[in-house]
Amino acid sequence: MALSSGPIGRPNPRRTELVLCVAAVALVAVAGLGMSAATGGGDGDSLQWALGVFAVLTVLAHLAVRIFASKADPVLLPCVVLLNGLGLVIIDRLDRAEAANAVALGKPVPSSDAAHQLIWTAAGIVLFAAVLAVIRNHGQPAKYAYTCGLAGIVLLLIPAVLPSRFSEVNGGKSWIMFHGFSIQPGEFAKVLLLIFVAGFLVANRDLFGTAGKRFLGYTLPRLRDLGPLLLVTFVSVLVLVYEKNLGFSLLVFGTVLAMVYVATRRASWLLIGIGMFAIGAVVAYHLFAHVRVRVQVWEDPFATYYTNGYQIAQGLFGLGTGGLLGAGLGGGRPQEVPFAKTDFIISTIGEELGLIGLSAVIVVFAIITMRGFTAALTTRDSFGKLLGGGLAFSLGWQLFVVVGGVTKLIPLTGLTTPFMSYGGSSLLANYVIVALLIRISHDARSEAAPAPPPVAPIAEAMTEHIRQSTPPRRVK
């Protein structure tokens, strides 16, 4: 009987990605139609048109991955599509509440933020495809690491030097605004700074463990070796503190610290970083009034319920109202929370989808973070490991800071939820991050693995005739 063997078939990652994207769009459509029915409907055609546009954009993003990164992780894009789509549905739900309030008060109905967010989604997917098309190897940005660091600092400095009427929103100078157009350059500076940190650590990683002086059993690098990293990090954090953008300061500092730990594998750097953070927090508390206000609100938001504590208190009321199962999309009153579309969209999710729905959203973010770390660990070069790890950590760290602030676990920072909160700058920058993670994943999976030795068919295998010897005679 002849036997035949062949390589075990593996599922096509792009086919898997397409199926998951279809499932994500279907879930978004169900959520959108259910929300529309709960809020009274009346605009079925516009909702169906918006869902159709979102489906087309999803297909375009999938085609971009299929063309430029055919071996990439098939789970990253569907998770992003699901979060982006649910964010659009929730923003649309809050738009309807604002429109109803405006009609009841006899005021003009404000423009739809959901429509604007859909436009930003289209721009984000175009940028996503452009990054995949231009960066054909994840090691390319390493050649421009120092240029990226300089560009990141310049982007952070621009709002600081602009007059307040062109840069200040709600007391924070972190915007560039001209004639109705606004952009937050810090979102893009974050990506550029992570590229610089990854490139710098790769070039100087050995100096962190071998050069320098011994102190309390640890080897500290020389100041001239550590200077560029400290300078960029210090200037970035200082500018963000001056601009009253504490969330970005915490995000940049935490991500850089995590990348240094990954590069050196030394717990001493974590202790040094935590010590620096503690000293900086104490100094900022005594120097800046807005930092003291954030801490006081965190300690007891109900003590200043009618002033500074109103936002966090309303957010906690919304989470408590949602309970385990939530009030359902369109069934709660999340519009009572200030900035429900941006800083406190997590509160809206918790109120209308409940603890189960909020936990599901957090799990999706965890999947993106874990898949990003997997791609970083799988690639063979140090730059890819550090850049992928830093980008993945930044997404997970940002979500932790946002959820921690909304639930009063940590002081409120003002960061937005990636892919879900209203805002074009955040959406564009996060699509760039996902594009880089997909590029790293594709390159890691494309690296040739050692092929198993060929197995000869049985018909062609060498044979040998063995004659059995006569068994020994038993002695009675």
Side-chain angles (χ1 to χ4, degrees):
M1 180 178 62
L3 298 177
S4 61
S5 62
I8 300 176
R10 296 182 180 179
N12 187 335
R14 300 285 65 80
R15 186 180 299 116
T16 302
E17 180 183 83
L18 180 60
V19 172
L20 292 176
C21 283
V22 170
V25 172
L27 185 59
V28 171
V30 170
L33 294 174
M35 179 274 299
S36 179
T39 54
D43 60 345
D45 293 340
S46 61
L47 178 61
Q48 293 176 8
W49 176 84
L51 291 174
V53 171
F54 182 71
V56 171
L57 293 175
T58 301
V59 172
L60 294 177
H62 166 73
L63 291 176
V65 178
R66 180 179 287 270
I67 294 171
F68 300 114
S70 59
K71 296 182 181 180
D73 191 318
V75 178
L76 284 171
L77 181 61
C79 289
V80 171
V81 168
L82 179 60
L83 294 174
N84 193 356
L86 289 177
L88 286 168
V89 171
I90 293 172
I91 293 171
D92 186 26
R93 183 262 177 278
L94 293 169
D95 282 343
R96 295 166 186 252
E98 290 180 354
N101 289 339
V103 171
L105 297 175
K107 298 180 179 179
V109 176
S111 59
S112 173
D113 287 333
H116 297 160
Q117 187 77 345
L118 186 60
I119 295 174
W120 283 115
T121 299
I125 290 177
V126 170
L127 186 58
F128 169 84
V131 171
L132 289 178
V134 173
I135 301 179
R136 305 308 295 267
N137 184 292
H138 69 266
Q140 287 179 232
K143 302 176 182 178
Y144 311 99
Y146 284 85
T147 303
C148 289
L150 178 61
I153 292 179
V154 170
L155 287 177
L156 291 177
L157 286 173
I158 291 176
V161 300
L162 284 176
S164 297
R165 67 179 184 275
F166 296 122
S167 62
E168 185 172 338
V169 175
N170 299 321
K173 286 173 60 66
S174 58
W175 295 83
I176 299 176
M177 300 179 296
F178 290 104
H179 304 292
F181 173 80
S182 62
I183 191 170
Q184 198 170 9
E187 293 285 354
F188 305 97
K190 171 183 64 178
V191 181
L192 295 172
L193 291 174
L194 293 186
I195 293 174
F196 162 75
V197 173
F200 178 83
L201 290 175
V202 168
N204 301 275
R205 183 173 56 181
D206 294 339
L207 297 175
F208 282 75
T210 58
K213 298 180 179 180
R214 300 282 296 178
F215 179 74
L216 297 178
Y218 299 105
T219 302
L220 302 180
R222 295 172 299 188
L223 185 60
R224 65 174 180 268
D225 299 324
L226 194 58
L229 179 61
L230 287 178
L231 177 63
V232 171
T233 305
F234 177 76
V235 171
S236 302
V237 173
L238 183 64
V239 169
L240 292 172
V241 169
Y242 170 76
E243 295 175 355
K244 298 182 180 181
N245 198 341
L246 300 179
F248 265 97
S249 299
L250 184 59
L251 178 63
V252 170
F253 183 83
T255 305
V256 170
L257 180 61
M259 294 175 70
V260 171
Y261 173 71
V262 171
T264 61
R265 299 181 183 179
R266 292 180 178 271
S268 58
W269 283 106
L270 290 180
L271 298 178
I272 294 172
I274 294 173
M276 292 173 58
F277 172 77
I279 295 173
V282 172
V283 172
Y285 180 83
H286 288 89
L287 291 182
F288 303 104
H290 61 278
V291 176
R292 292 194 294 273
V293 170
R294 291 287 178 91
V295 174
Q296 292 166 2
V297 170
W298 169 61
E299 292 176 341
D300 187 5
F302 299 100
T304 55
Y305 175 78
Y306 295 103
T307 55
N308 297 321
Y310 180 79
Q311 183 184 32
I312 182 67
Q314 286 297 115
L316 293 174
F317 286 147
L319 292 173
T321 301
L324 186 64
L325 299 177
L329 281 172
R333 296 180 60 84
Q335 66 273 14
E336 300 296 329
V337 182
F339 303 104
K341 298 177 184 177
T342 52
D343 300 0
F344 270 69
I345 200 168
I346 288 293
S347 174
T348 305
I349 297 171
E351 180 176 353
E352 302 213 324
L353 298 182
L355 178 62
I356 294 178
L358 180 58
S359 298
V361 169
I362 294 175
V363 167
V364 175
F365 274 105
I367 292 173
I368 295 176
T369 303
M370 292 175 62
R371 290 282 181 159
F373 276 123
T374 300
L377 292 173
T378 306
T379 188
R380 297 181 181 180
D381 66 293
S382 299
F383 178 78
K385 292 181 184 296
L386 287 175
L387 180 60
L391 294 173
F393 180 85
S394 68
L395 292 175
W397 178 239
Q398 183 169 346
L399 180 71
F400 170 80
V401 173
V402 170
V403 176
V406 172
T407 58
K408 211 176 80 64
L409 177 65
I410 60 176
L412 192 64
T413 59
L415 285 179
T416 57
T417 305
F419 304 109
M420 303 192 77
S421 295
Y422 174 71
S425 303
S426 175
L427 196 59
L428 292 176
N430 286 316
Y431 264 112
V432 171
I433 290 176
V434 173
L436 292 174
L437 288 176
I438 286 179
R439 169 57 61 204
I440 293 172
S441 173
H442 168 79
D443 292 347
R445 292 174 175 228
S446 299
E447 292 173 347
V455 179
I458 291 181
E460 300 178 5
M462 296 180 62
T463 59
E464 181 180 357
H465 177 70
I466 301 176
R467 185 176 61 183
Q468 183 177 5
S469 60
T470 304
R473 184 181 297 178
R474 291 185 176 181
V475 179
K476 295 184 179 180

